Amino acid sequence: MLFRGASSDNALATVEKIRKRLEAEAKRSKEYTTASFGLVKMGPHQNRKEVFKLADKCLYMAKRTGKNKIVALPDELFNARVEDKI
């Protein structure tokens, strides 16, 4: 997902809302499935390829550190906890 023009707080809130909704729906199913997300704010000197690579690393970090969560960079902008350095 791309959030053009959205604030960091709005992007994180939207992704968290989606994550929680998926989790709630999954609990109603025999096939319990959750989702992890990698969220990255694009800097002025980054290209799309760099940003997607960072988001992918965040996604895999979310999966390695417990799943069903969001890992965001930079963590000070998103107020999200990054448990390991990328």
Side-chain angles (χ1 to χ4, degrees):
M1 289 180 269
L2 296 176
F3 296 94
R4 289 191 80 183
S7 72
S8 301
D9 290 339
N10 286 343
L12 181 62
T14 300
V15 174
E16 179 63 7
K17 184 177 179 180
I18 293 167
R19 189 197 65 74
K20 284 183 177 181
R21 177 73 186 262
L22 289 170
E23 181 181 41
E25 291 295 322
K27 288 179 180 178
R28 298 182 209 186
S29 172
K30 293 177 186 175
E31 300 165 0
Y32 188 84
T33 303
T34 59
S36 295
F37 297 87
L39 193 58
V40 177
K41 181 172 181 139
M42 186 172 188
H45 302 291
Q46 290 176 304
N47 62 44
R48 287 182 186 180
K49 188 175 182 176
E50 293 170 327
V51 171
F52 283 118
K53 190 173 184 177
L54 280 173
D56 191 53
K57 286 182 178 187
C58 287
L59 171 61
Y60 282 99
M61 184 182 296
K63 290 180 178 187
R64 280 193 316 269
T65 60
K67 301 181 181 177
N68 191 28
K69 65 186 202 177
I70 301 165
V71 172
L73 286 177
D75 56 342
E76 63 274 5
L77 290 176
F78 288 101
N79 297 318
R81 207 170 119 211
V82 177
E83 297 181 14
D84 299 318
K85 298 279 184 191
I86 290 182

